[in-house]
């Protein structure tokens, strides 16, 4: 069972776009034992899981991070880690830390940088981390969150093009959640048409406060979509995730398939449009009463579908 784990919400930065409002003073809530138990639960189906570790800033507690990575990889998991690369102040430091995570078994780093991170972490730290990974033959991917008023990924690439050869670079539009919820609509990269895409990254995840959630994206942290807590049997939570009528509808038809029911119940779509389907999903499910109506719709449709199969088999 693939899983994403937000290890802690503590971060050396307080970026204005942070979807989970990470900060230096955010208390760490899960212990290493909690995290290891989550990892153990990912093996319940007998398959080799891919485990994504993030924060907060995952490297802030390096010794704990290495312990968690080693636990996962020794059991057979493929592990990737997200980081803002603050630790790569110079090449010696970057090489040392890359060697340590590589020795623990990490197969990929995902480096986050953008205008918002730059207030706290210099571009050169990211470049140092990239070059250290290239030297060590460790895969590294670059993620860049952008708005209409921020620098864009092509600006970063233009400045550091020679250091980014053969590196996957991905630009992500900023979503108005967490601290970015205060961002003006004019700053967002909005699309006027209703987004029709299906759920793009539904991986069972664990928030930094120990809640099982359907993804680490915009809507994933909403109370209405919570799937359980780490106190529960992970197999039960995984089954709940896999068979959830809401999730199955999001995977098959996307959040746009809930809009008709929502509008009939009083929902008013954003006049200026949405960043993407994740932004729409958040808008639909952020109100608990509306979320309950949409859950009822999904459950009724799932029942009708099963009943139609039953009737067809009985008729045959």
């Amino acid at each position: 069972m693939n899983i994403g784990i937000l290890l802690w919400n503590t971060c050396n930065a307080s970026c204005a776009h942070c979807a989970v409002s990470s900060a230096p003073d955010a208390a760490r809530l899960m212990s290493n034992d909690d995290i290891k138990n989550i990892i153990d639960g990912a093996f319940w189906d007998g398959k080799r899981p891919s485990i994504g570790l993030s924060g907060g800033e995952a490297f802030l507690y390096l010794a704990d991070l290495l312990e968690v990575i080693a636990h996962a990889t020794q059991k057979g998991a493929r592990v990737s880690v997200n980081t803002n690369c603050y630790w790569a102040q110079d090449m010696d430091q970057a090489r040392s830390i890359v060697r340590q995570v590589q020795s623990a078994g990490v197969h990929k780093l995902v480096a986050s940088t953008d205008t918002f991170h730059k207030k706290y972490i210099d571009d050169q730290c990211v470049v140092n981390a990239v070059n250290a990974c290239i030297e060590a033959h460790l895969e590294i991917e670059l993620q860049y969150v952008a708005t209409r008023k921020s620098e864009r990924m092509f600006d970063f690439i233009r400045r550091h093009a020679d250091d980014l050869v053969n590196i996957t670079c991905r630009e992500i539009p900023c979503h108005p959640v967490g601290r970015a919820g205060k961002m003006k609509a004019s700053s967002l990269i909005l699309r006027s048409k209703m987004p029709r895409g299906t759920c793009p990254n539904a991986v069972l995840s664990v928030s930094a406060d120990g809640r099982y959630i359907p993804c680490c994206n915009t809507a994933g942290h909403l109370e209405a979509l919570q799937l359980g807590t780490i106190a529960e049997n992970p197999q039960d939570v995984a089954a709940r995730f896999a068979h959830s009528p809401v999730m199955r509808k999001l995977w098959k038809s996307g959040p746009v398939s809930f809009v008709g029911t929502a509008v009939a119940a009083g929902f008013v779509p954003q006049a200026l449009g949405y960043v993407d389907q994740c932004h729409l999903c958040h808008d639909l499910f952020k109100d608990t009463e509306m979320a309950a109506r949409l859950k009822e719709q999904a459950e009724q449709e799932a029942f009708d579908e099963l009943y139609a199969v039953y009737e067809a088999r009985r008729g045959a």
Side-chain angles (χ1 to χ4, degrees):
M1 176 182 71
N2 296 338
I3 194 165
I5 306 174
L6 283 76
L7 301 169
W8 37 77
N9 216 29
T10 319
C11 188
N12 59 306
S14 300
C15 297
H17 71 320
C18 185
V20 293
S21 301
S22 296
D25 60 353
R28 179 175 174 182
L29 299 177
M30 290 197 296
S31 67
N32 283 10
D33 286 342
D34 289 331
I35 296 166
K36 288 178 184 178
N37 287 337
I38 296 166
I39 290 169
D40 292 344
F43 288 85
W44 72 267
D45 58 1
K47 298 178 181 179
R48 181 189 187 191
S50 291
I51 298 176
L53 305 177
S54 60
E57 170 49 43
F59 282 71
L60 209 56
Y61 302 103
L62 181 59
D64 293 335
L65 175 64
L66 294 173
E67 181 181 333
V68 167
I69 293 168
H71 180 80
T73 57
Q74 286 166 13
K75 290 179 72 70
R78 284 174 56 82
V79 177
S80 63
V81 185
N82 284 61
T83 178
N84 62 30
C85 303
Y86 81 96
W87 42 268
Q89 297 290 326
D90 56 53
M91 280 304 299
D92 287 341
Q93 197 172 11
R95 291 184 182 107
S96 173
I97 292 180
V98 165
R99 280 196 298 268
Q100 291 179 66
V101 295
Q102 189 175 42
S103 295
V106 161
H107 84 275
K108 182 171 79 169
L109 293 185
V110 180
S112 295
T113 188
D114 43 56
T115 299
F116 306 100
H117 280 94
K118 194 173 179 179
K119 180 178 177 181
Y120 303 93
I121 299 103
D122 191 85
D123 281 1
Q124 192 58 46
C125 291
V126 179
V127 172
N128 290 343
V130 167
N131 284 322
C133 286
I134 290 172
E135 289 180 9
H137 304 291
L138 176 64
E139 183 181 355
I140 185 166
E141 175 183 322
L142 190 65
Q143 290 188 347
Y144 197 103
V145 175
T147 70
R148 290 198 182 280
K149 297 186 178 181
S150 71
E151 284 195 337
R152 303 295 293 266
M153 172 164 270
F154 57 75
D155 297 310
F156 185 88
I157 293 173
R158 186 181 294 117
R159 287 197 301 273
H160 305 289
D162 290 349
D163 292 297
L164 301 176
V165 175
N166 284 333
I167 300 300
T168 299
C169 297
R170 177 172 173 239
E171 185 174 70
I172 303 169
C174 183
H175 293 92
V177 297
R179 285 201 196 91
K182 299 178 182 178
M183 201 168 288
K184 293 181 179 179
S186 58
S187 295
L188 301 174
I189 303 173
L190 298 172
R191 299 172 184 269
S192 58
K193 292 183 178 179
M194 187 67 71
R196 307 196 67 83
T198 56
C199 189
N201 192 31
V203 175
L204 186 62
S205 302
V206 181
S207 65
D209 58 358
R211 294 175 297 116
Y212 277 101
I213 57 179
C215 68
C216 292
N217 287 352
T218 308
H221 296 268
L222 290 172
E223 180 183 348
L225 296 178
Q226 180 178 321
L227 294 158
T229 72
I230 59 173
E232 298 180 67
N233 184 320
Q235 187 170 349
D236 293 341
V237 178
R240 197 176 300 148
F241 175 62
H243 300 295
S244 161
V246 169
M247 293 310 304
R248 293 173 73 86
K249 189 173 175 65
L250 288 172
W251 295 329
K252 181 180 179 180
S253 308
V256 69
S257 62
F258 287 98
V259 171
T261 298
V263 168
F267 173 75
V268 180
Q270 298 285 334
L272 297 176
Y274 292 93
V275 173
D276 54 20
Q277 64 267 43
C278 298
H279 182 193
L280 172 61
C281 188
H282 183 275
D283 203 30
L284 286 165
F285 288 93
K286 66 184 180 183
D287 179 83
T288 54
E289 184 176 337
M290 179 62 69
R293 288 176 178 264
L294 300 181
K295 181 180 178 181
E296 288 176 6
Q297 174 204 353
E299 290 173 345
Q300 184 62 52
E301 289 178 0
F303 174 82
D304 292 344
E305 184 177 336
L306 287 173
Y307 189 75
V309 171
Y310 164 76
E311 286 287 276
R313 288 178 178 175
R314 191 175 69 164

